Amino acid sequence: MIATWLKESRHIVIFTGAGMSTESGVPDFRSKRGLWHGKDPQSLASTNAMKHNQKEFVDFYRMRIEALQNVKPHNGYNILTTWAKWLQLKSIITQNTDGLHEQAGNINVIPLHGTIRQLHCHSCGVVYSTERYFHGHLYCNCGGFIRPPVVLFGESLDSNLLTLAEKEAQQSDLFIVLGSSLVVSPANSFPIIAKEHGTKLVIVNQDQTPLDSIADAVINNRKIGDVLRDISEEFII
Ligand code: APR
């Protein structure tokens, strides 16, 4: 059924969360082995943590940056590249900051939550290499604190990216969620916006999500890589 929808669709949008990267060895946040398991995200990934818990904040992001050094996009990312070539896949809205969509050559990626592939000054915005976090050089020449350009809890998303993602959700006729618990707003509003515009909504997520009840198709308890492979095998592209 999903393969048929893919073939018939004129504007496919893929929406990914941390579950898209776990098969590449990057932990997600809220499943049993996730980064937030037994931790308070506000104490590590918030503006408050950046100001008042700086050592733990830097250690947390240095650990995540270091973990990316030997990580490669799994075959699921390559399948998305193929879909963009042979089908009407128009954009990938991602909550992920690991840069794996870009590394895999996926096109039209909308990185809602930014990236941990570089750092920048919180005050003047000058971009720095992540190396700064391995040598303890935490301050910019302007005196500002150097941090990853990600959306911390307590910060707003980039308005241009929000507008782009909303337009894609409204124009889509097939919206496929891959690996998100869909509990963080405003990112979790895009599947709803798509559905409100009559789009077919597909959710592929090991655990159940709060939006499963409005989806046209839900695939729980299966790995994204296997699901994408099986769908692709249903048509020769
Ligand atoms: N195949 C299918 N589903 C998977 C896989 C997999 N291989 N691995 C994990 N999952 C599912 C988990 O069941 C989980 O429900 O992916 C989901 C990931 O959910 P979260 O860990 O909550 O990640 P995400 O939805 O991306 O979080 C959104 O929260 O902390 C913030 O900024 C952070 O962008 C992140 C946002």
Side-chain angles (χ1 to χ4, degrees), residues 55-160:
K55 181 179 177 327
E56 287 76 6
F57 176 89
V58 171
D59 289 349
F60 174 66
Y61 280 103
R62 188 180 54 242
M63 173 274 291
R64 292 184 60 204
I65 291 164
E66 194 163 23
L68 284 182
Q69 278 166 1
N70 304 314
V71 162
K72 295 252 170 305
H74 60 77
N75 192 47
Y77 289 88
N78 304 327
I79 290 174
L80 297 184
T81 299
T82 312
W83 288 5
K85 207 165 155 196
W86 299 100
L87 300 167
Q88 299 300 317
L89 170 55
K90 301 293 184 194
S91 62
I92 297 178
I93 303 171
T94 187
Q95 300 171 94
N96 300 340
T97 58
D98 54 31
L100 289 181
H101 283 298
E102 294 85 345
Q103 196 176 331
N106 291 159
I107 50 118
N108 294 345
V109 178
I110 303 172
L112 289 179
H113 293 166
T115 179
I116 57 172
R117 292 284 181 170
Q118 63 185 35
L119 301 171
H120 77 173
C121 173
H122 184 66
S123 306
C124 71
V126 165
V127 173
Y128 286 96
S129 151
T130 51
E131 278 306 303
R132 303 284 296 215
Y133 265 26
F134 292 88
H135 304 302
H137 301 158
L138 304 180
Y139 288 90
C140 175
N141 301 332
C142 80
F145 178 65
I146 294 174
R147 47 151 304 168
V150 294
V151 178
L152 298 174
F153 287 105
E155 289 182 321
S156 315
L157 278 71
D158 176 292
S159 54
N160 296 327

Side-chain angles (χ1 to χ4, degrees), residues 16 28-29 39 88 101 145 147 152 160 163 167 169 178 231 234:
T16 62
D28 67 10
F29 295 97
K39 290 202 186 72
Q88 299 300 317
H101 283 298
F145 178 65
R147 47 151 304 168
L152 298 174
N160 296 327
T163 306
K167 203 162 131 254
L178 299 175
I231 292 172
E234 281 185 50

Side-chain angles (χ1 to χ4, degrees), residues 15-23 26-36 41 45 61 64 74 94-97 113 151 153 178-184 187 204-209 219-227:
F15 176 93
T16 62
M20 179 72 202
S21 304
T22 55
E23 292 167 68
V26 180
D28 67 10
F29 295 97
R30 294 175 182 83
S31 61
K32 283 185 278 309
R33 290 166 306 289
L35 289 172
W36 296 152
Y61 280 103
R64 292 184 60 204
H74 60 77
T94 187
Q95 300 171 94
N96 300 340
T97 58
H113 293 166
V151 178
F153 287 105
L178 299 175
S180 177
S181 59
L182 295 173
V183 296
V184 170
V204 181
N205 200 63
Q206 261 169 343
D207 295 320
Q208 291 181 342
T209 83
I219 302 178
N220 292 141
N221 304 314
R222 287 202 67 204
K223 288 189 166 189
I224 287 166
D226 294 342
V227 172

